[in-house]
Amino acid sequence: MSFFPDEVIIEVLARLPIKPLFKTKTVCKLWYGLPSDKYFIKLYNQVSDKNPMVLVEVHDSTKPTSSLICVDNSRGASEFSLDFLRDKVNIRASCNGLLCCSSIAVKGVYYVCNPMTREFKVLPKIKDQNLTRFYPDSEATLVGLACDPSRGKFDVVLAGYQCAGSSHRPDKTFACLIFDSDSNKWRKFVSFQEENFTHMNRNQVVYVNSALHWLTGSGSYILVLDLNFEVWRKVSVPDETRYGMGNRVYLLESDGCLSLIEISDTRMKIWVMKDYERELWHMADRVSLGCIKGLVHGIFPIAQTGECIFLATHKQVLVYHRTSRAWKEMYSVQNNATLPLWFSAHTFRTSIFPCA
């Protein structure tokens, strides 16, 4: 190893998966301290930014529990487990290598975990969560996870219409609960929203520019929660998507920018917001869907970078490489899946972000 400078070795180690990286800690003192070194953590997270993954939950009608699959563009598909939580959970949000999960058995219990390092934090239990999205019952309309590696902190956001008294009918009061990892406490503020959020895509929340972003059910605008000032605001979508001919629109992140994916019967258009302050959108790509014509009505974009985009269908995870214009099947369900893969698919990437 003396033939290689430490700088080169560090660059190589920053490209290892988490498990092999942690096994190298026994090699020498330098390697042992890398996973806790601030410079190495930043480098590792920057490298993994360029390698997005997709987490899918596979529901098999012949088995009592579902299984988690991690689909990696460079390494393929591998099984995934949250058994270290010792609870049956739903994954509600994903951000920069962390997952926010809600307990199925106990209402109001949430976890934030790093599944690669198997670290987790149980958030203080919410006693009076009178927020509703109608379905699933008793869950907040909007759930967001904001993980900021540069500041070493995360926030969890639960928002929805408050229920009026014992009737369980929501009124027009829109309440927001925010958990701050620095203070280890929840705080609440109330506002008013007119949009019907019931049919919003529960998985596609995007964290960029210190704010969480959700595409509204109508697709007419993006709802933004600015975490620095704790205010809601609206961001416009491209006019072409707003007045499109019934095309489907999805909100993703692309290399640190907001991105909209517009899907018609024959084409997929990729929009990127290049100027966030002025809300200026740029059409980055047009993709013909002729090669997957039979799947068009059931595809849902899940994650992307400037080089590729992951899409989930009922039983497949596909990746489209924008440079080569080639499609590839990354994963296919072989069992009796009861729910489509896109229903519980999340964007994901590895990170060494401590959350305990």
Side-chain angles (χ1 to χ4, degrees):
M1 297 304 296
S2 60
F3 291 106
F4 298 97
D6 288 347
E7 293 80 4
V8 175
I9 295 174
I10 288 173
E11 287 286 343
V12 173
L13 294 177
R15 285 155 175 80
L16 286 178
I18 292 285
K19 289 182 179 179
L21 173 66
F22 275 64
K23 288 180 180 180
T24 65
K25 292 174 67 175
T26 60
V27 173
C28 65
K29 188 175 181 180
L30 170 64
W31 293 18
Y32 180 84
L34 284 180
S36 57
D37 179 79
K38 290 184 178 180
Y39 170 79
F40 183 79
I41 291 174
K42 181 179 180 181
L43 175 63
Y44 190 94
N45 292 340
Q46 287 175 343
V47 171
S48 64
D49 271 344
K50 302 174 183 178
N51 184 33
M53 307 176 190
V54 171
L55 288 184
V56 291
E57 188 172 3
V58 180
H59 300 265
D60 189 340
S61 59
T62 63
K63 296 180 180 180
T65 59
S66 59
S67 58
L68 290 170
I69 304 295
C70 181
V71 183
D72 186 327
N73 186 32
S74 58
R75 302 182 185 96
S78 58
E79 198 158 352
F80 195 81
S81 176
L82 297 177
D83 58 359
F84 58 91
L85 294 177
R86 297 184 179 181
D87 192 3
K88 193 173 181 180
V89 298
N90 284 323
I91 300 175
R92 299 304 313 275
S94 172
C95 182
N96 289 330
L98 298 187
L99 299 178
C100 176
C101 305
S102 61
S103 172
I104 295 175
V106 185
K107 178 184 174 182
V109 171
Y110 286 83
Y111 303 88
V112 172
C113 67
N114 185 328
M116 292 302 171
T117 63
R118 299 175 72 85
E119 293 181 335
F120 69 94
K121 182 178 184 63
V122 184
L123 306 190
K125 187 178 178 180
I126 304 169
K127 296 180 180 179
D128 299 312
Q129 186 189 346
N130 294 320
L131 307 176
T132 181
R133 60 168 284 142
F134 301 110
Y135 181 82
D137 186 35
S138 300
E139 290 194 352
T141 303
L142 308 181
V143 178
L145 175 62
C147 170
D148 189 341
S150 65
R151 298 170 61 191
K153 65 164 293 184
F154 64 85
D155 295 289
V156 175
V157 172
L158 309 177
Y161 293 104
Q162 291 191 139
C163 294
S166 59
S167 66
H168 300 291
R169 295 178 62 86
D171 57 25
K172 292 185 178 181
T173 305
F174 198 72
C176 181
L177 297 171
I178 302 178
F179 174 81
D180 185 324
S181 63
D182 284 345
S183 66
N184 196 40
K185 293 180 180 178
W186 292 94
R187 60 185 184 274
K188 180 180 180 179
F189 70 94
V190 175
S191 60
F192 296 92
Q193 302 289 342
E194 298 177 356
E195 181 76 21
N196 184 346
F197 298 111
T198 304
H199 302 294
M200 290 179 64
N201 188 320
R202 67 192 184 100
N203 296 341
Q204 292 187 305
V205 52
V206 176
Y207 176 63
V208 297
N209 293 310
S210 300
L212 289 166
H213 304 73
W214 291 268
L215 184 66
T216 56
S218 63
S220 57
Y221 63 87
I222 297 167
L223 184 68
V224 183
L225 174 60
D226 189 318
L227 292 169
N228 287 335
F229 300 100
E230 294 188 3
V231 293
W232 293 95
R233 58 187 176 87
K234 298 177 182 180
V235 165
S236 62
V237 298
D239 289 340
E240 188 173 331
T241 66
R242 186 185 307 170
Y243 305 113
M245 303 296 291
N247 297 340
R248 292 179 289 145
V249 183
Y250 303 90
L251 184 66
L252 297 182
E253 181 261 349
S254 179
D255 297 331
C257 298
L258 277 181
S259 177
L260 278 179
I261 309 295
E262 180 186 10
I263 296 179
S264 68
D265 290 340
T266 59
R267 239 168 238 291
M268 177 171 65
K269 295 179 182 178
I270 302 174
W271 299 82
V272 177
M273 182 177 278
K274 291 297 186 182
D275 191 324
Y276 188 81
E277 297 299 324
R278 295 194 292 166
E279 300 182 12
L280 296 180
W281 292 92
H282 163 71
M283 186 184 292
D285 206 353
R286 290 184 177 90
V287 180
S288 171
L289 300 179
C291 293
I292 57 167
K293 187 176 181 180
L295 302 173
V296 169
H297 293 289
I299 60 171
F300 291 75
I302 305 299
Q304 70 167 334
T305 66
E307 299 176 356
C308 66
I309 178 169
F310 284 92
L311 303 100
T313 69
H314 192 101
K315 289 195 172 187
Q316 298 165 293
V317 175
L318 309 175
V319 64
Y320 174 76
H321 295 276
R322 293 172 61 182
T323 302
S324 62
R325 301 279 175 181
W327 291 87
K328 183 180 179 181
E329 180 185 284
M330 298 299 298
Y331 174 72
S332 178
V333 176
Q334 303 299 325
N335 57 25
N336 301 315
T338 57
L339 291 174
L341 293 182
W342 52 258
F343 182 80
S344 56
H346 298 263
T347 182
F348 185 69
R349 70 174 181 84
T350 58
S351 76
I352 317 178
F353 192 99
C355 61

